[in-house]
Amino acid sequence: MILTVTLNTALDITYRVTSLRPHAEHRVSEVVERPGGKGVNVARVLAALGYAVTVAGFAGGPTGQVLRERLAAAPGITDALVPVTGPTRRTVAVVDELTGDTTQLNEPGPHIGAAEWAAFLRAYDTLLADARAVALCGSLPPGVPVGAYAGLIRVARSAGVPVLLDTGGEPLRRGIAARPDIVKPNAAELAELTGSHEPARATRDARRRGARSVVASLGPDGLLAATPEGHWRAAPPARLRGNPTGAGDAAVAGLLSGLVDGLPWPARLTRAIALSAAAVLAPTAGEFDPADYERLLAAATVTDEEAAA
């Protein structure tokens, strides 16, 4: 199985409105609720691709109960969330149907106590025994040590389980020093980490900080990868309009599944960019239309950055 860790899970709520205008009353045409958080989105994409996935992290309060009920209805996903006292957060995405733009509102997560964190560490250690790979995704809720991801990476490496890290800020800075197999920052996270706004230079700098491979999400410009085997850029066939929420998580699912399947890097990146683009076209995060994915998989391009230099 593939293990995804979401320490700050969420119940994702998507509102669709005809046109989002400041200081105005809006009629919502559609409301969709889904279990969320970056690693949960990754798990849903992996499950849709046919992989067995286990979701680890925390869930608490009435919102956490709804999240777990929705997870129980999702085929291919095993719930290994640790119960906590505080309520799971909600995230609200408002989709403007006129422009296709999305406005995101993210609540803070619950405070995690020392005993709750210790319970998660015990569960994580047990889950690694059956894991083929692990993804550590998203922000840290209050109470979790800022170096948590670094510790989780070291535990996974000791168990011989490859690790993908997808976070930002100080958790990324500390986590990358623990030498994860793949780091997947977005452009802003990469610039904050390295101080460079030039993506090619920044991905190489991030590798020197400890990651075996770095794959940067550059939004509509695709993915840029710096790996021991080479440097590549992957791009969708065209710029797409839609809901970008969850596109990076779909890319993580592509990278992680490609790692598990032993694919060469160009094939991993093709899968990742096709899933990411298909997620943009989907109405809610963590979903994609298989027909869109297959079409985009055939049309996506991967170029060798070293050959092009």
Side-chain angles (χ1 to χ4, degrees):
M1 68 78 175
I2 297 175
L3 177 63
T4 70
V5 172
T6 311
L7 297 177
N8 211 4
T9 56
L11 183 66
D12 287 345
I13 304 168
T14 301
Y15 294 142
R16 300 186 72 87
V17 299
T18 302
S19 177
L20 183 61
R21 304 178 310 280
H23 316 298
E25 183 177 313
H26 298 80
R27 290 189 179 274
V28 177
S29 61
E30 182 185 27
V31 181
V32 178
E33 290 186 349
R34 293 285 188 276
K38 293 180 71 64
V40 175
N41 293 337
V42 172
R44 290 214 307 274
V45 174
L46 286 169
L49 291 170
Y51 296 88
V53 193
T54 296
V55 172
F58 300 106
T63 309
Q65 182 59 38
V66 174
L67 184 152
R68 301 190 80 158
E69 290 170 358
R70 298 296 174 88
L71 273 182
I77 298 179
T78 299
D79 174 359
L81 297 171
V82 173
V84 294
T85 302
T88 295
R89 67 191 178 121
R90 296 167 298 178
T91 66
V92 178
V94 183
V95 179
D96 185 322
E97 295 177 335
L98 182 64
T99 65
D101 292 336
T102 300
T103 299
Q104 189 85 15
L105 305 172
N106 297 330
E107 295 181 352
H111 186 276
I112 305 301
E116 293 166 336
W117 178 239
F120 170 80
L121 292 176
R122 291 192 296 271
Y124 178 72
D125 191 57
T126 300
L127 290 166
L128 286 174
D130 295 320
R132 301 171 66 192
V134 59
L136 306 175
C137 303
S139 60
L140 301 177
V144 171
V146 70
Y149 282 138
L152 297 180
I153 290 166
R154 294 187 186 99
V155 172
R157 286 177 58 85
S158 296
V161 180
V163 185
L164 184 152
L165 176 64
D166 182 11
T167 189
E170 190 61 21
L172 171 60
R173 190 179 305 279
R174 297 198 187 193
I176 201 170
R179 306 186 65 81
D181 294 86
I182 304 173
V183 169
K184 207 266 335 142
N186 61 32
E189 292 163 346
L190 186 65
E192 182 183 2
L193 174 70
T194 65
S196 173
H197 291 272
E198 201 290 301
R201 177 181 300 171
T203 52
R204 288 171 169 82
D205 184 10
R207 274 203 70 213
R208 287 193 291 270
R209 292 168 185 260
R212 178 172 174 80
S213 298
V214 178
V215 181
S217 292
L218 305 180
D221 293 325
L223 301 172
L224 185 63
T227 81
E229 289 76 30
H231 299 77
W232 293 275
R233 184 183 294 270
R239 289 183 176 242
L240 304 171
R241 288 183 60 186
N243 180 3
T245 306
D249 304 330
V252 168
L255 295 171
L256 204 61
S257 62
L259 184 156
V260 166
D261 291 345
L263 296 181
W265 267 105
R268 293 189 205 181
L269 293 167
T270 301
R271 180 182 291 183
I273 198 64
L275 284 168
S276 179
V280 170
L281 298 177
T284 54
E287 295 184 355
F288 66 94
D289 185 321
D292 285 337
Y293 168 56
E294 293 297 336
R295 173 175 57 82
L296 292 162
L297 187 66
T301 60
V302 176
T303 57
D304 188 329
E305 290 288 284
E306 293 177 330

